[in-house]
Structures are given as structure tokens and as C-alpha cells.
Amino acid sequence: MARNKEGCMIILDVGKDTLVKSGKHDQTFFERAKNCVSKIVQRKIFSKPQDEVGLVLMGTDGTNNQLNVEYGGYHHISEAFELNPSNWQMLRVLEKQVNASKVNGDWFDALVVAMNFLKVGAQAKKFASLKIILVSALSVSSNLDVEQMDSVVKKLTEMPCELNVINDSVEHHADSDEQQDEDNLIFDALGIFSQKQQKTKEQRANEKMLSDIVFKSNGALCNIDSAELLLVHFEKKATRAAPWNSVLSIGTQIQISISAFLLITEEKGLGSFKTESTYPEATVQLKTDYFKNDQSFEPDYENVINGYMYGSTVVPYDSQIDIDYKSGEQRLSCLGFTVAGNILEEYLCGTGTHVVVARKDCAASEAKLAALVKAMIDLDVVMIVTKVYRRDTRPKINVLMPTFKKRYPCFIMLELCFQEEVALLKFPPLLSNKYKPTDAQYEAVDKLIDSMDLMDALDDDTGSREAFALHKTLNPIHQHMYRTVAHRALHPKAPIPAMDKELKNLVDVPPKVRERSKPILDEVKNLFPLKEIKVNARLKWLQRANKITANLDATAAGTSQQNPTDAEEELDDQRTIVEVGTVTPAEDFALLLKRGEKFATLCSQIQNVISDLVFKSMTVQYEKVAMAMMMYREEAKLMGPYRYNEWIAEFKKSLLARNKQEFWDQVVVRERFGLIGASESDMSTISADEVEEFYNVNTAPKTGDTGADADYVDADDLFANM
């Protein structure tokens, strides 16, 4: 870890002259400087937790530093935090206890103290680099001669340590086309102190001397506005690229030593949180409880096997059925070559993209791979390979696409799916003779696409640039999560803040695109008029049920007359159904009922399906459940309402107990799917008042002798009396 570990000492100016207004938001320089230091430490915590940070306060009312104890003369400078890994305690102290003082401090003395403090703290530790960040208004002159300045530069060079300065009078002229390192985005070596602002003689003298020290130590100057803009976003945690080393074998003669690096993968953000007690002496123990049908139970661990969830259905899986297959040693072996056009986009799968290069310091492999890449590009072919990541792991099929990355030959490796994983889905055509677009509509859509071009959607001082650039667009969810964690760490009892406007702008339509596409959108709106079609869901599914009945009757009578436009729907009606399913429960119920299945059996099936769709699905499909309930209720009116009334009473209790109030209001109450009363079925004894009372959530449903149980009629007795 020492190869990337950095030691950073921050000098924060808290003198009285920092209370002057700075910037456009009516803040003092002290407030802005304090915020910058806080953001730097937060970025270290999230992005580079191995780095160590220290803090020196300049311009304090008291004096607390080692050089003043030993030599004297370093007044109003305090060593606040020694070099340690960045932590939240430092941020809490910085926010609550660091305030502006009534005196000023000498920036040069603070620099010397920080150098000594950093040197002492870095002893017996391994750092890849050392850095000092000075955040000061530079309002107090320092009595500095050339010899002192050269001595400081020499010490900075010997450590070695670079000096970076954040000030509100630095001019930035960054080249927008220049690709800068992510770690150096905060500081720009081209920054210079502005000569346009009105400054005191002391400030100009400080800036001249400080500029010489900064540039001689290979440091940088940064404007506080730029620092705030860049520090507001958190960087992803830097990770060292770990190659997958293997041998690419082609036949029995060609062996190429390769290294595969992960190029693109899904961003994961913060890891899982640890559960800890607020009391140091207490221990935290995790306890797992098992519930079945909302009842606690103890499972039989000896008979427990793994399972997978397919929707709301549990599919058990026994590891004993695994094929005892040994894939052999780790390898990347060529199966053959094919034309690049044969690899369609839908054949690609996997969780990431790898770039394959010749192994480092292997000249023979570099020559072989370069020749192979060039030949494959000339022939326009790709290589199909078998990849075994580790000994005896399951082999995967990958494709190697030849290319050049920064003039270096390499392969892009992507995983291919197997035949069983390819699903051919048929969709209706987008265009038809009835809805064929006109030339004016085509032209309007072309204009709309041109107006929404993102390549010049943003305007700044350097001109137009691309919006949502791939390597520059941050994930607002992760950024908001980082800010939320930092806010909760600093303010444990404060409410979680809402997402900042600047984060919302990361995924919002650029204003330039919004303005230039507005008139064209109006034109598209006029050329593509939309008419609202109100469909009565109940009527639609009743017609559907009647249609299913008609089709079954026609099939039984041996008729073959068919409307061509309904061929596809009628074909679906003739599919093999053995029980009510969760895909089309209403249709399944009607079809099985017309085929002669027992009504009691179908009642149990559709009740279970409705419960699964409501309580086990991640997203409740309101229309599907409503149609199933409507179909069940309509048939219950004719076949006997007692089963439905008994079920809907229990269903209401479950809905309210599981906080499904929205489903109760939107489906059961609005569609009137409650108890079946005597006015709807001659076999029901429930009065109209009891039906209306059932829809009141504050009243328990009555299912006593005069309720649902009173509707029970033995089916055999009923048919015997007919």
C-alpha cells in the first residue's frame, strides 16, 4: 500500500483578516477555507483511506508548536492534529471547535512549522509522496529574505515535498483539451496570482515570494472557487489494477503469455456497513429469526437445501445433481476464428469487459500478439476462446476482438452466452399501413434529434463541449450517498439532507438543449396528436371472458370460422393450462371453469395466486390482480358467493395488517370487489348495509351467522333440491 500512500499536512489560516467577504455567496474567506479543508479530509476518507492527514492552524490566539518550544519566534501557530489516517473525529473538531481568532499569523512561520511537523510525523513510515496545502488569504507580510526562501525550497526538495496553495486571487487558465490526471485535478500548475485585483503591498510581496517557493518545489496554485467546485464531488476509491495472468494457446504450437485487465465494470459505491454499539464495552451479536406465514419457527437444518426465487415461486436446488466436471488447468484456449459480423450484440453477456495484452517483460509474446492482432484486423475476424479462470472452475466462452489502445496492440475480451441462454422474443412491428408516418412527421423527428445533440450541449468559457461525457459524468446516487454519510457522521442527530440541486443537474436536461428543442417539440406535438382512449377495464375483461367462452363453444361444435385479426389471441386461448397461474390468472380461471374443472378447486387456486401477486411480488400489478378478482367475483355470484365472501373478509385483514392500504383503496374499494350481497346474488344473505360497512376500514368485517358463513350452502344438497 505504500506505493500510493500520501502524507498531507494542511495549513489553515484562522486569523482575523480571514473574516473579509470572499466569493459570490456572501461568505467570509474563513468559512470557505474551512469548508475546503473539510472536503479534502472527507475525500481522503472515502477515496484514499490509506493516506494520512495532519492539520496546522495559523493565526490562533494561542501558540502550540514544537519549534516555538525549542527555538521560539513561531507565535500564533498551533499543531492541531499530527499525521494520522483521516478520520471523522478530525472533521468534528474542525467544524465545532475551530473558529476565527482576533490575531493574524505569519504564513512563512506556519510553513516552517508544518514542514517540521510533517517530517517528524512521517518518520518510520513509508509514503509515496508528501504534500503541504496552505489555505490562506495571505494578508500579512512576512519578513523573508532570499537565503531563508532558498533554505525552505531546499528542505522541501530534500524531503521531497510539494507545496500547494489555495487562495481567492489565483487565476486559472486550464487547457480544456488537455487530459489531466484525476489526482491532480484540484491543483493546476498554470495557476498564477491575479494582477487585476486591488491588493495591499503586503499581499503582493507575499504572492511573489510564495510563487517562487511553489514553483521551485514543483507545487501548484489553486483558486478557492475551483477548489470548491472540484472538491464538492467525491472521487472513486483508487485501486491497483490486478491482472489475470494466463496463456493464450492456439492449437498445439502457439503459446502467448497474456495479462487480462478489467476495463469496464459496474460501479459498486460504498461497501456494506458494520454494526457497532455506541458503548465501547458492549458487544454486538447478530440474530437470525425464521418466519413462515408470519409465524416464527425453527427450521430443520439437516433437511435444508439451497433454492432460487423464480418470481414468487421457490425453486429448490440440490447440489447432488451437479455434473462432476473437471475443466482442468487455468487457461485461455482458442476454439477458432469467425467473421466479426457473426458476433451480434445480443450474444454478449457477463459483468464486465477485459483488455488482453502481452505479459510484461515478455518480448516473444509481445511480438506474437502484435502479429496476431494485425492479421486479425486485416482479415476482419475475431477469436472464440474458452476461458477457465481457475483450476476446475466452469469454463466460459469468450470472444477476443483485435484493436489498438494508444497504439498498443491488444484484444477486447467479452463473454458470450450459450445457446440455452438466448431467448427469441417476438414483438409486433412498430410501423403499419394504418399508422405510417408522413414526410412532415419524419422531418420533424429528424429536427428533434438534431436539436437534442449532446456534443455541444454545454457552454463555458472555453466554448461548447459535450454533455454527459462518459469519463466525466458522476453517478449522482453515489455522490449523494457519500454526502449523506458525511452529514450523518458530522451531525448524528440531524435529519438526512435532500439531494443537492447540483447533483440533480448531473442527470437533468441541459438548458441549452431544453431551449433549442422547445419549438421543435411543439411542432412534433402538433404533427402527432394524441387522443385519450378510456378503457373500462371491467367491461374489457368481461368481453374477454365471453370471447373465451365463445371460442370454446365453437371448438366443441367443430366450427373453424375465425376472424383473422383475432387469430393470435384465439391461439393463446387454446394453450395448455392445468391450473390458474400468475401470468394470466383471469383467463386461466375462465378457461378452466368452462372446461369443467371444479369450482371449489379453482377458487383455492385463484385465491392463492391473488395473494402471491399482492404480497410476494416486488411490484404489485394492479390491473392483473383486479381482473382476477373481478373474474372470480362474477363467477361466484352465479356459482355461490360463500367462498368468495369468506375469502375477501380474510383478504381484507391481511391487506390492512401488511400496510396494503393503497391496494385496498385503489382496487377493492374503487372497483367494489367487497362482499357479494343479496342484491347481486340470490344465494347471498348479506344485506346492503353490511356490504357498505365492509368497505369501512375502521370496522371489522362481519363474517358471523349473518355474514359470510351464513352463505354456506352444501353443494350436494343444493343440486339434490333442484
Side-chain angles (χ1 to χ4, degrees), residues 161-214:
C161 176
E162 67 178 50
L163 173 62
N164 298 314
V165 179
I166 298 179
N167 185 266
D168 59 352
S169 62
V170 175
E171 290 182 346
H172 266 291
H173 299 289
D175 187 359
S176 61
D177 296 330
E178 182 183 357
Q179 296 294 329
Q180 301 182 47
D181 186 3
E182 288 186 1
D183 294 336
N184 296 324
L185 285 176
I186 301 176
F187 301 103
D188 176 18
L190 298 179
I192 59 174
F193 285 108
S194 174
Q195 303 300 320
K196 301 177 182 179
Q197 302 178 5
Q198 293 184 356
K199 303 176 183 178
T200 63
K201 184 183 297 184
E202 291 79 5
Q203 285 180 314
R204 293 190 181 278
N206 289 336
E207 291 174 358
K208 184 179 183 306
M209 290 184 291
L210 191 55
S211 296
D212 294 339
I213 298 176
V214 166

Side-chain angles (χ1 to χ4, degrees), residues 538-552:
R538 183 187 293 267
L539 178 60
K540 181 183 73 173
W541 280 86
L542 283 174
Q543 292 174 348
R544 179 70 169 168
N546 293 333
K547 181 180 175 183
I548 294 172
T549 305
N551 290 337
L552 289 174

Side-chain angles (χ1 to χ4, degrees), residues 415-427:
E415 185 179 343
L416 294 175
C417 58
F418 292 95
Q419 180 182 1
E420 294 81 4
E421 298 175 303
V422 178
L424 298 178
L425 304 177
K426 294 183 179 181
F427 298 96

Side-chain angles (χ1 to χ4, degrees), residues 466-496:
E466 180 184 1
F468 308 114
L470 179 62
H471 299 289
K472 297 181 180 179
T473 303
L474 301 170
N475 189 330
I477 297 177
H478 293 163
Q479 294 296 319
H480 179 61
M481 180 177 60
Y482 285 130
R483 296 186 185 189
T484 302
V485 172
H487 183 272
R488 176 49 56 90
L490 297 176
H491 311 281
K493 298 183 180 181
I496 298 297

Side-chain angles (χ1 to χ4, degrees), residues 61 121 224 271 283 290 456 617:
D61 292 324
I224 195 170
T283 58
Y290 297 89
D456 60 345
S617 299

Side-chain angles (χ1 to χ4, degrees), residues 717-722:
D717 294 341
L718 178 64
F719 287 109
N721 294 330
M722 291 181 64

